[in-house]
Structure formats: structure tokens, C-alpha cells
């Protein structure tokens, strides 16, 4: 049980909710954001004292039944619920195991995508396989080894190389998305996993990561629309579609552009130009 992480996560989720989000009237003017502790306790069917002790890092080890009630009271997503169980010392109701084996169903879809960039990612952002167009747009990601196989690790340890594909104005949002995605993987796989290894390494190496990690944001985030900067064809606006496996262990990411758009024309040009040779991945 990670008492500090549990306490911080509960308080952050409580502060993010409004009374209307859980069917409560606004009531009198509130001095602090979010729900009150007694409101969360009532929604979860527990005493205010018990819930307060959890947020003060001195509560007893909560049961799985109590965690389920808290997840419901705080309106947690599946990803956030899994993380809550993990930091409280329980296996999540839906356990996901990491595997380098590519899900056959996703691979069948990828095999049929030849004229638009597509790649399959693990929960840690490791590129498991990418098609020819993804190599042309993003560079060949097959050469990374060790922790550098994880995109979030590279994002914070090699920012000059990894972030150059994004406009400067979008990089902060991408940083938050990377950390929120890693929180999901950490919640699913646990501290004694590759996700835990990545977290510990980044906490040592990147103050920026450490600051974002303390926010306890948990979500699978893929921007619906983004601009990517390619060294040969320039800025390309693309739409992102994501298809997950049932256990959310892997995701197929497809990048497209509307027919007749500038982005579509640049993808077609990229299809002809072929693979731009990026700096070789560090090992």
C-alpha cells in the first residue's frame, strides 16, 4: 500500500469534482474547490473520519469492496480505478499483462493500411510494429532498446530529439498526455513492472517529469487532431484514430487527413518521397 500516493490521488480526484457531477446541489459558497470530504464519504457509504484518515496518510488498509465504492463515488474512469486499486495494495478487478506479442486482431487491421501512417503501441508507448507510411512520417522506431523503447522515457530524456516533431506551443500538452498515459500503465502493471522501472528512472532524470507525476493525472490520451513537423514536407495536420485491444494492453494508432486538405496532399507526397532518415536511435 502506497499511502502517500493513495492520499494524494484521492484528494486530487475529490477536488476535481463539482457537486453537480455527482447529483448534489451546489449548496452554500465553498471556500475550497471540489467536493467536501464528508460528501465523498457519504457517497461511498463510509464514515467521514475513515475517509479523512485515508487522505491524511494514516488510514487502515482499505478493502476491495471499499475501493470499489470510492471509485464509484469519485466517478473514476476504468484507468483511474485500476490505479486506485494498485496504490492501495490490491490487484485491479481487470488485470492487464504486458506482452511484446502483437495482438493478431490489431495486426490484421494494420496489414490493410498501406496509404496512411499506422502503428501498434504497447501500454508503455513502445512501438511494436509500424507500417511503411508511419516510418516515413515518424521515423523508424524499431532500433530502440531498453527503457528507450518507451516513448514517454525518450520524451523526457531526449527532448531535443523526441519533441522536434511537435510545434512548441503543443509540447506542454503532449508532456501531460505522456505522463497521464504512463499513470494508466503503472496502475495496470504495478510497481514491479517495466512501468515501475520507467517511472523510477524518470523521477531520477527529469524534474519536469517529477512535477507532472505529482499531479496524479490518469488517462489514456491521444489528441484527436494534431500538427506534426516533418523535416522534408513541413507541418502536417492529421486526425488520430485509436483502436484498443479489449484489455487495453495495446493500441492501434492511425493518422489520417481529410481528402483535399493540405495535410492529405503532404501525406501523399510523403508516400512518394519515402522514408526520411532520422538520427539513429540511442541505445
Amino acid at each position: 500500500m502506497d499511502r502517500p500516493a493513495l492520499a494524494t490521488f484521492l484528494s486530487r480526484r475529490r477536488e476535481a469534482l463539482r457537486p453537480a457531477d455527482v447529483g448534489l446541489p451546489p449548496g452554500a459558497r465553498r471556500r475550497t474547490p471540489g467536493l467536501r470530504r464528508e460528501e465523498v464519504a457519504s457517497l461511498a457509504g463510509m464514515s467521514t473520519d475513515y475517509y479523512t484518515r485515508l487522505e491524511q496518510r494514516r488510514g487502515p488498509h482499505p478493502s476491495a469492496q471499499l475501493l470499489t465504492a470510492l471509485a464509484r463515488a469519485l466517478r473514476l474512469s476504468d484507468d483511474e480505478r485500476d490505479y486506485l486499486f494498485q496504490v492501495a495494495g490490491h490487484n485491479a478487478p481487470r488485470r492487464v499483462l504486458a506482452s511484446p506479442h502483437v495482438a493478431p486482431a490489431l495486426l490484421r487491421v494494420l496489414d490493410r493500411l498501406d496509404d496512411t501512417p499506422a502503428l501498434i503501441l504497447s501500454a508503455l508507448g513502445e512501438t511494436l510494429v509500424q507500417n511503411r507510411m508511419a516510418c516515413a512520417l515518424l521515423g523508424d522506431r524499431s532500433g530502440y532498446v531498453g527503457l528507450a523503447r518507451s516513448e514517454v522515457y525518450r520524451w523526457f530524456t531526449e527532448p531535443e530529439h523526441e519533441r522536434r516533431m511537435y510545434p512548441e506551443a503543443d509540447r506542454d500538452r503532449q508532456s501531460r498526455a505522456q505522463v497521464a498515459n504512463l499513470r494508466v500503465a503503472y496502475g495496470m502493471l504495478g510497481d514491479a513492472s517495466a512501468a515501475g522501472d520507467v517511472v523510477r528512472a524518470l523521477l531520477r532524470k527529469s524534474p519536469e517529469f517529477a512535477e507532472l507525476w505529482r499531479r496524479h493525472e490518469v488517462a489514456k490520451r491521444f489528441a484527436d487532431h494534431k500538427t506534426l513537423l516533418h523535416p522534408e514536407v513541413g507541418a502536417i495536420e492529421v486526425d488520430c484514430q485509436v483502436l484498443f485491444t479489449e484489455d487495453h494492453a495495446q493500441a492501434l494508432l492511425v493518422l489520417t487527413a481529410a481528402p483535399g486538405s493540405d495535410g492529405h496532399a503532404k501525406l501523399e507526397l510523403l508516400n512518394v518521397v519515402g522514408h526520411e532518415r532520422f538520427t539513429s536511435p540511442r541505445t
Side-chain angles (χ1 to χ4, degrees), residues 1-3 6 61-62 67 83-92:
M1 179 176 174
D2 188 340
R3 293 180 187 276
L6 175 62
H61 190 197
L67 292 173
Y83 180 75
L84 173 67
F85 271 73
Q86 193 274 322
V87 296
H90 287 273
N91 289 334

Side-chain angles (χ1 to χ4, degrees), residues 141-162:
R141 299 183 172 188
S142 62
Y144 292 105
V145 297
L147 296 180
R149 293 186 63 231
S150 171
E151 183 180 2
V152 63
Y153 181 84
R154 300 194 307 271
W155 183 266
F156 288 101
T157 59
E158 302 181 27
E160 297 83 4
H161 178 267
E162 198 68 19

